[in-house]
């Protein structure tokens, strides 16, 4: 049996579980940043699943202004642990500096991906069910509005068609293409 027979599924599981929890913490951080409604069922879910690790950290890591440093620290540590486990199973563990830099790159990439996916979902929902109320659509609106509002000011709707999501998606893609190559990829 090849040595990666068991390690490949284990790497998949580690990557999946860590990535889902990191996504939950990142969404919580971004929703705090945009001051989304915390009575929303999805936001309550995110708070419930992230609170056990954030509560003890908040005792020692206070926020700096509006920045939730405990969430940032947790994101960084979780990503470092994920990359350490995966790289140790796949090849070998790189230096701590490379892991730290790759972790920051992973989180930057995740942030770009969250905004791109949120905008795409919001656009699709506006075509399929434009007047339907759903707690998720409200959160998507809160999350994407800080990016879409300036774009709407630059390009008003043309013939009733709002092109601001397209502008923002292009801008996010260009920014990610310029920023992400500066970070090493572990996985």
């Amino acid at each position: 049996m090849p040595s990666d027979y068991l390690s490949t599924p284990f790497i998949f599981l580690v990557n999946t579980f860590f990535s889902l929890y990191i996504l939950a913490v990142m969404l919580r951080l971004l929703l705090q940043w945009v001051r989304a409604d915390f009575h929303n069922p999805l936001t309550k879910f995110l708070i419930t699943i992230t609170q056990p690790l954030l509560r003890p950290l908040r005792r020692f890591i206070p926020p700096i202004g509006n920045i939730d440093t405990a969430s940032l620290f947790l994101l960084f540590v979780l990503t470092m642990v994920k990359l350490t486990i995966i790289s140790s199973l796949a090849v070998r563990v790189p230096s701590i500096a490379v892991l730290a830099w790759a972790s920051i790159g992973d989180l930057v990439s995740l942030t770009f991906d969250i905004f791109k996916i949120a905008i795409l979902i919001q656009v699709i929902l506006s075509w399929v069910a434009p007047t339907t109320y759903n707690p998720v659509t409200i959160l998507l609106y809160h999350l994407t509005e800080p990016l879409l509002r300036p774009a709407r000011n630059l390009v008003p709707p043309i013939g009733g068609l709002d092109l601001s999501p397209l502008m923002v998606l292009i801008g996010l893609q260009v920014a990610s293409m310029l920023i992400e190559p500066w970070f090493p990829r572990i996985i």
Side-chain angles (χ1 to χ4, degrees):
M1 256 192 253
S3 64
D4 64 339
Y5 178 74
L6 291 176
S7 65
T8 303
F10 188 67
I11 288 171
F12 168 75
L13 289 173
V14 167
N15 188 32
T16 301
F17 290 128
F18 269 91
S19 295
L20 287 173
Y21 196 78
I22 290 167
L23 176 64
V25 176
M26 179 67 83
L27 283 172
R28 178 180 173 159
L29 177 71
L30 291 173
L31 290 172
Q32 282 176 257
W33 175 63
V34 297
R35 297 186 179 159
D37 179 20
F38 279 89
H39 297 293
N40 188 304
L42 181 59
T43 310
K44 286 182 178 181
F45 169 74
L46 292 172
I47 290 170
T48 303
I49 64 172
T50 57
Q51 195 65 11
L53 291 180
L54 281 173
R55 183 179 296 125
L57 284 176
R58 288 211 166 103
R59 289 186 209 139
F60 304 106
I61 305 172
I64 299 173
N66 290 338
I67 300 169
D68 184 4
T69 51
S71 292
L72 286 174
F73 180 77
L74 180 61
L75 284 168
F76 181 73
V77 168
L78 287 172
T79 306
M80 286 268 298
V81 169
K82 175 184 93 167
L83 292 179
T84 301
I85 293 170
I86 290 172
S87 63
S88 67
L89 290 170
V91 197
R92 65 178 187 22
V93 180
S95 69
I96 296 216
V98 171
L99 277 172
W101 196 240
S103 296
I104 293 170
D106 236 27
L107 293 173
V108 168
S109 178
L110 176 63
T111 305
F112 281 124
D113 290 345
I114 286 172
F115 281 116
K116 287 187 273 189
I117 291 168
I119 290 170
L120 283 173
I121 292 171
Q122 188 176 1
V123 166
I124 291 169
L125 285 175
S126 74
W127 294 337
V128 175
T131 58
T132 305
Y133 171 80
N134 187 322
V136 175
T137 58
I138 300 300
L139 285 182
L140 287 173
Y141 174 80
H142 284 295
L143 186 62
T144 59
E145 191 58 21
L147 296 175
L148 293 175
R149 187 179 318 111
R152 279 192 202 105
N153 291 338
L154 289 174
V155 178
I158 300 171
L161 188 62
D162 183 11
L163 297 178
S164 61
L166 180 62
M167 277 186 53
V168 172
L169 284 172
I170 291 171
L172 285 171
Q173 186 62 33
V174 168
S176 68
M177 291 170 75
L178 293 173
I179 293 171
E180 289 177 12
W182 290 88
F183 300 98
R185 301 296 297 170
I186 302 289
I187 53 173

